[in-house]
């Protein structure tokens, strides 16, 4: 079954404590992306990756890092989380050139920074 | 840049009422259009899509038609059920230009259906 797996599903942390949200896909897709969802703002792209070792900023990259060392994994790193990064995060992937199919999303990670 | 505007919610309806959620977009290139649904406590699921002008996407009784002349993709359902209560997102995906391959979302519309 095609899947995008995020971990953890829920996370409460304190300001400044580094954390990583993992994302893995089993579809052999080259394109992966991270979004955050906030009420009234919809989903906004944080970072995306067109392929291994190729990453680029989305619309709201400040305070986040990513890496793409292998095709299946695309972790999201918060080096020094702040309360304004409290949000619902989604990892997503799509097939190369498969624009008519949209994205496949993970189940989400609800992050609370206190 | 590319953008999507959805009608503001929340929308509250009685069961069996008609639903329309408006969605308009601005985009360069040749966008594909999508509606995603998020049920309470869950992730995003693709509800329906359309990839070219005049295409009609449909699923679970929902429909939306790609109107290039009005840059719209309104979501409709003739008779809603309590189980349709969810957040609905309109989205566009651009195949070219500076937004290559990026899925851009509207702000989401909360739908609540009462028995």
């Amino acid at each position: 079954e095609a899947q995008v797996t995020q971990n953890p599903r829920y996370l409460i942390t304190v300001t400044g404590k580094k954390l990583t949200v993992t994302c893995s896909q089993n579809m052999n897709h080259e394109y992966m992306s991270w979004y955050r969802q906030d009420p009234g703002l919809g989903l906004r792209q944080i970072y995306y990756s067109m392929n291994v070792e190729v990453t680029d900023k989305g619309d709201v990259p400040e305070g986040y890092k990513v890496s793409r060392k292998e095709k299946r994994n695309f972790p999201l790193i918060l080096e020094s989380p702040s309360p304004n990064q409290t949000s619902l995060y989604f990892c997503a992937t799509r097939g190369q050139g498969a624009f008519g199919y949209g994205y496949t999303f993970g189940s989400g990670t609800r992050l609370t920074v206190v | 840049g590319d953008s999507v505007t959805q009608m503001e919610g929340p929308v509250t309806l009685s069961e069996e009422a008609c639903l329309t959620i408006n969605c308009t977009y601005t985009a360069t290139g040749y966008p594909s259009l999508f509606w995603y649904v998020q049920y309470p406590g869950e992730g995003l699921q693709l509800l329906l899509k359309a990839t070219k002008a005049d295409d009609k996407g449909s699923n679970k009784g929902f429909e939306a038609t790609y109107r290039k002349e009005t840059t719209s993709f309104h979501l409709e359902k003739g008779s809603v059920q309590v189980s349709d209560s969810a957040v609905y997102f309109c989205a566009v995906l651009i195949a070219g230009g500076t937004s290559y391959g990026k899925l851009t979302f509207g702000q989401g519309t909360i739908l609540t259906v009462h028995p």
Side-chain angles (χ1 to χ4, degrees):
Chain A
E1 180 189 351
Q3 276 189 328
V4 179
T5 303
Q6 288 180 234
N7 281 296
R9 289 292 306 275
Y10 301 92
L11 179 60
I12 301 175
T13 190
V14 297
T15 298
K17 185 176 181 181
K18 181 179 178 180
L19 66 91
T20 299
V21 183
T22 64
C23 174
S24 179
Q25 51 101 357
N26 65 358
M27 290 168 273
N28 202 35
H29 286 172
E30 292 175 338
Y31 183 95
M32 297 184 75
S33 183
W34 276 101
Y35 284 80
R36 61 177 288 174
Q37 180 184 349
D38 301 290
L41 297 176
L43 283 87
R44 295 176 292 168
Q45 191 181 57
I46 303 170
Y47 269 93
Y48 66 96
S49 170
M50 299 288 282
N51 211 332
V52 175
E53 302 294 356
V54 180
T55 64
D56 208 347
K57 297 176 180 178
D59 298 317
V60 288
E62 294 77 20
Y64 304 95
K65 286 176 56 177
V66 292
S67 70
R68 188 88 184 275
K69 293 183 169 56
E70 40 186 354
K71 186 182 280 191
R72 64 181 292 123
N73 295 324
F74 190 44
L76 179 70
I77 303 156
L78 285 72
E79 296 265 356
S80 183
S82 62
N84 65 11
Q85 293 177 297
T86 293
S87 187
L88 179 57
Y89 291 86
F90 288 101
C91 181
T93 183
R94 67 163 171 79
Q96 188 72 4
F99 304 117
Y101 295 92
Y103 288 14
T104 301
F105 286 86
S107 299
T109 296
R110 185 166 293 281
L111 172 66
T112 302
V113 183
V114 298
Chain B
D2 307 315
S3 66
V4 179
T5 302
Q6 289 181 233
M7 66 180 287
E8 292 196 18
V11 175
T12 303
L13 297 173
S14 297
E15 206 164 26
E16 299 184 3
C18 294
L19 169 71
T20 299
I21 301 177
N22 291 333
C23 172
T24 58
Y25 66 90
T26 58
T28 56
Y30 306 96
S32 296
L33 306 178
F34 304 87
W35 278 98
Y36 283 84
V37 59
Q38 184 179 36
Y39 297 104
E42 298 186 13
L44 288 154
Q45 301 177 25
L46 178 64
L47 180 60
L48 54 83
K49 64 182 176 74
T51 58
K52 61 183 188 296
D54 300 323
D55 267 1
K56 178 184 283 188
S58 62
N59 186 24
K60 300 182 180 181
F62 290 90
E63 292 183 339
T65 301
Y66 189 144
R67 302 286 187 201
K68 191 172 175 65
E69 64 277 11
T70 56
T71 62
S72 65
F73 193 53
H74 305 321
L75 182 68
E76 299 176 324
K77 187 173 186 181
S79 177
V80 295
Q81 305 300 312
V82 172
S83 58
D84 293 326
S85 299
V87 184
Y88 293 81
F89 293 94
C90 184
V92 300
L93 197 159
I94 309 298
T98 56
S99 298
Y100 183 82
K102 174 185 169 185
L103 194 61
T104 298
F105 287 87
Q107 67 268 42
T109 301
I110 300 172
L111 170 66
T112 302
V113 181
H114 293 298

